[in-house]
Amino acid sequence: MTEERESWEGARSSRDSLVGLVVGIGLGAVLLIVLAIFLMKVASPELFDRMVRRNRQVNPTLLTAASMPPFTASFTDVAAEAGVTKVQSTGATGERLLPETMGSGIALGDLDGDQDADLLLLSYGSTPALYRNDSPQGGPIRFTDVTDASGLGEILHSTTSALGDFDGDGRVDVLIGTVGPDRLFRNTGSLRFEEVASLGNGWTSATGFADIDNDGDLDLVAASYVEWSPEIDREVDYTLDGIGRAYGPPNGFKATDLALYINHGDGVFRDEAGERGLHVRRDDRDVPVMKALGLLLEDIVDDQNTTSIDILVANDTTANRLFLNDGLGNFTEVAAGEGVAYDIDGKPTGAMGVDITSFDYDTWVAIGNFANEPSSCYSYARWRSGSGSRFTDRSATSGIGPETRNRLTFGTLFLDADLDGQIDLLQVNGHIEPEIGRVQAGQSYRQSAQLFRATGSEPPFLEVPAEQLGDLADPIVGRAAASADLDRDGDIDLVISHLDAVPRILRNDLALPPGGIGRLRVIGSRGNPEAIGAKVVISGNAPNRSEQISRTRSYMSQSDLPIPFISAGKGTVSITVTFPDGQTTQLSSFEPDGDIVIRKVEVD
């Protein structure tokens, strides 16, 4: 008995020691966690604030459309009463040639200097049209056709365009991309343009102005789709069972290279893409690899180099490409390492339009993809550091992936459609083959656009029911999508192209609250008056928002530059603008109402 008692007491002593050890370890772990939280709050209050707010926002169950407040934006097509009558023609003759189905672009920008967005329509099957915006502020949207006197009305096979003041004279100039030579025009005032250069000779699918080499003026990037001619297209001879010759993917066509036209002044541009690292070749032979349809010119990877413009190219059926700028206009291709080259399964997608935004300390890149592929939705937290890819493919968990799988998406555009301070996502859809419904059940040629509202929780986006979108939900063969406050009433209107039809001029019928609506315009330096590439951070009413000034986004589109935002009922805001040369200007703790102008201080 004594031996048993001693054995039992020994076991109890060992147990108590073990319990004491476990309790000690537990208390130590708690103290370490408390210490870590304290240090995080001191060292990185932004990260601490983000974690606290995210913890408060996420519910035990995922949000649904029914659990969200009503969506207050709705869109009405006013093209007829606005005076827009131009049909963006495909030029189709029955041969099923590839350019006929890719659509024609849209550009919105202030071309006459009166602070509203004029409209340039491209047309592959006919000629461009230029419309002057004559809308009274807050009144009906009105456009006047000024094509005949513009100097832009005789161009054939136009696909897309770029707007930018390349000579720094205060007037926005125009490049028109074509299937053939691109045409560069100087704005001489009063919506008249003179041609100053002919650039390249391919199929330009996306283009844009930005200060690539950080010398204070605007350079030009032009992306091409495939090496194409009618003869090549007839040899490829894509067919669908039961239909015969059909429109198809670009697999049978050779890939192309980017062009980077460096601005040497006085309208002289020289293509320096190859020597600056923008020509990518296959591993097994010396041929190009890109079939570009979407283009972003922004500081996509936040590497603390405030002057660098990176280049993201969305490629159809080949890997996307991300070119990282060293700040002087020399590039390294990093898409695979950064996580944006492929989908979550490591495969390239049929990528079309692309856009980027940053809010609540996260950066999001959205890419519209071909039918039977969900749209790609990549994100990374700008506060996160360390090794590995910055971007994570969140298509399946973002609230966007499953809802877009059966759509063929072209126009892809981030915007605050309902001015609630959070950035929503527009996707414009339409198939390439008119007879697709005969061979693929569940597919249709005309498709409804989709608008995904930001939730501030999980999932990050939810599709807005079609019945709440007005005319935006009407099925069309959608292609380009651009945004601007066309009537200057404070909200964001849309222009959307669809094949062989007048584009949709979609007035936003958002019921705006009184006061608290701002529209930010940034004025830059002499060589870059529109401050293309400047970074804007709007803070003070969560979620914080970051934008970079750029027209080049979506698909074959240029959107207007002023940034609309709202803080009604949410207190004051602060705006910080970092110009491309690193100079910073800030407006602190004010309540926005009307136009706000931030001007760069010139230093001689």
Side-chain angles (χ1 to χ4, degrees):
M1 179 69 68
T2 300
E3 292 178 356
E4 290 178 0
R5 181 179 179 87
E6 289 175 350
S7 176
W8 179 81
E9 287 178 348
R12 182 176 67 179
S13 176
S14 297
R15 182 197 63 191
D16 291 345
S17 297
L18 180 59
V19 170
L21 178 62
V22 171
V23 170
I25 292 173
L27 289 173
V30 170
L31 289 172
L32 286 174
I33 292 171
V34 171
L35 178 61
I37 292 173
F38 173 77
L39 291 174
M40 180 189 301
K41 186 173 183 180
V42 172
S44 182
E46 183 179 276
L47 174 56
F48 179 80
D49 175 67
R50 171 192 166 82
M51 292 182 66
V52 169
R53 286 190 291 105
R54 180 61 57 87
N55 186 55
R56 288 174 180 167
Q57 290 170 347
V58 176
N59 297 320
T61 57
L62 294 179
L63 288 173
T64 63
S67 65
M68 292 285 291
F71 187 73
T72 53
S74 183
F75 295 88
T76 302
D77 182 12
V78 297
E81 50 263 50
V84 177
T85 59
K86 174 68 175 181
V87 172
Q88 291 181 283
S89 169
T90 64
T93 61
E95 283 196 88
R96 294 290 211 273
L97 300 177
L98 190 55
E100 299 166 357
T101 196
M102 302 308 290
S104 303
I106 291 167
L108 290 170
D110 183 9
L111 296 177
D112 56 0
D114 63 354
Q115 309 306 315
D116 58 21
D118 305 301
L119 172 63
L120 175 63
L121 300 177
L122 293 311
S123 184
Y124 174 76
S126 56
T127 54
L130 179 62
Y131 287 89
R132 183 183 66 226
N133 190 339
D134 290 327
S135 308
Q137 185 168 359
I141 297 174
R142 294 287 185 267
F143 285 101
T144 301
D145 190 337
V146 295
T147 308
D148 288 345
S150 70
L152 303 177
E154 301 300 322
I155 300 169
L156 299 176
H157 304 309
S158 59
T159 53
T160 187
S161 65
L163 307 183
D165 185 1
F166 69 77
D167 54 4
D169 65 355
R171 294 188 290 262
V172 178
D173 307 304
V174 176
L175 176 105
I176 293 183
T178 75
V179 179
D182 295 340
R183 314 276 291 277
L184 181 63
F185 292 84
R186 177 183 285 116
N187 188 339
T188 62
S190 302
L191 293 173
R192 288 174 168 79
F193 299 83
E194 64 176 11
E195 186 168 0
V196 296
S198 177
L199 304 172
N201 191 25
W203 175 351
T204 299
S205 53
T207 185
F209 285 102
D211 186 2
I212 297 296
D213 56 358
N214 194 32
D215 65 350
D217 58 21
L218 295 182
D219 309 299
L220 178 67
V221 178
S224 298
Y225 188 31
V226 293
E227 186 178 313
W228 183 87
S229 69
E231 293 74 22
I232 294 173
D233 204 327
R234 294 183 187 107
E235 289 178 5
V236 170
D237 196 26
Y238 183 77
T239 61
L240 286 177
D241 291 343
I243 294 178
R245 183 168 171 80
Y247 298 116
N251 305 76
F253 299 87
K254 293 180 180 179
T256 61
D257 282 317
L258 284 181
L260 169 58
Y261 298 105
I262 296 297
N263 187 347
H264 292 276
D266 198 28
V268 177
F269 287 79
R270 185 164 67 89
D271 186 1
E272 300 179 9
E275 61 202 77
R276 291 179 178 268
L278 293 178
H279 286 179
V280 182
R281 294 292 179 263
R282 287 184 53 151
D283 293 335
D284 57 346
R285 59 184 183 273
D286 185 21
V287 295
V289 298
M290 291 193 291
K291 299 179 180 181
L293 288 177
L295 179 67
L296 289 179
L297 305 176
E298 301 199 21
D299 187 13
I300 295 163
V301 175
D302 189 8
D303 51 7
Q304 307 306 312
N305 185 348
T306 59
T307 62
S308 65
I309 297 294
D310 305 320
I311 300 174
L312 177 61
V313 183
N315 287 303
D316 187 3
T317 70
T318 69
N320 302 321
R321 299 290 173 171
L322 174 56
F323 296 93
L324 185 64
N325 193 337
D326 68 354
L328 298 175
N330 303 301
F331 293 89
T332 303
E333 205 286 304
V334 297
E338 295 295 347
V340 293
Y342 306 103
D343 66 10
I344 198 170
D345 296 319
K347 299 177 180 178
T349 62
M352 310 291 182
V354 61
D355 202 1
I356 186 171
T357 191
S358 295
F359 61 93
D360 196 22
Y361 309 115
D362 286 344
T363 291
W364 296 86
V365 171
I367 298 177
N369 290 324
F370 201 77
N372 303 314
E373 296 175 332
S375 293
S376 298
C377 190
Y378 304 97
S379 75
Y380 85 86
R382 286 184 177 262
W383 49 263
R384 185 175 64 215
S385 61
S387 60
S389 301
R390 282 180 173 86
F391 286 95
T392 300
D393 187 343
R394 289 207 57 193
S395 303
T397 59
S398 64
I400 294 171
E403 290 77 6
T404 58
R405 178 174 290 278
N406 288 331
R407 309 297 178 95
L408 200 167
T409 299
F410 284 88
T412 304
L413 195 62
F414 281 114
L415 72 161
D416 187 358
D418 56 352
L419 288 182
D420 65 350
Q422 302 193 99
I423 308 301
D424 312 305
L425 175 62
L426 170 71
Q427 299 211 159
V428 173
N429 307 311
H431 212 282
I432 65 169
E433 173 50 57
E435 305 298 328
I436 191 64
R438 292 172 50 188
V439 294
Q440 289 189 23
Q443 283 295 331
S444 60
Y445 188 45
R446 292 174 174 261
Q447 299 180 5
S448 298
Q450 296 169 286
L451 189 63
F452 297 88
R453 66 188 303 190
T455 68
S457 185
E458 291 294 332
F461 298 94
L462 282 175
E463 185 175 4
V464 178
E467 58 269 19
Q468 298 181 28
L469 297 178
D471 293 339
L472 178 60
D474 290 347
I476 61 173
V477 189
R479 293 296 185 261
S483 65
D485 183 3
L486 296 174
D487 48 10
R488 290 181 293 164
D489 65 351
D491 57 22
I492 303 175
D493 310 301
L494 299 168
V495 181
I496 295 174
S497 71
H498 59 121
L499 296 189
D500 279 329
V502 175
R504 297 289 176 96
I505 311 296
L506 291 163
R507 183 190 66 217
N508 191 340
D509 295 325
L510 178 65
L512 295 171
I517 303 166
R519 195 175 83 134
L520 175 65
R521 187 162 63 96
V522 181
I523 299 176
S525 59
R526 295 187 189 95
N528 182 8
E530 296 181 298
I532 302 296
K535 295 182 181 180
V536 177
V537 176
I538 302 172
S539 59
N541 59 19
N544 291 341
R545 174 180 173 186
S546 176
E547 300 284 350
Q548 193 160 16
I549 297 177
S550 175
R551 286 191 175 92
T552 306
R553 56 188 70 249
S554 188
Y555 173 80
M556 289 188 175
S557 301
Q558 300 272 283
S559 288
D560 199 23
L561 291 180
I563 300 173
F565 62 96
I566 190 168
S567 71
K570 298 182 180 181
T572 62
V573 300
S574 296
I575 296 177
T576 301
V577 177
T578 303
F579 291 92
D581 66 357
Q583 184 185 121
T584 298
T585 300
Q586 186 173 38
L587 293 179
S588 299
S589 301
F590 70 99
E591 294 188 4
D593 189 7
D595 284 359
I596 298 144
V597 178
I598 294 181
R599 188 183 301 270
K600 187 180 187 296
V601 177
E602 290 283 7
V603 179
D604 293 326

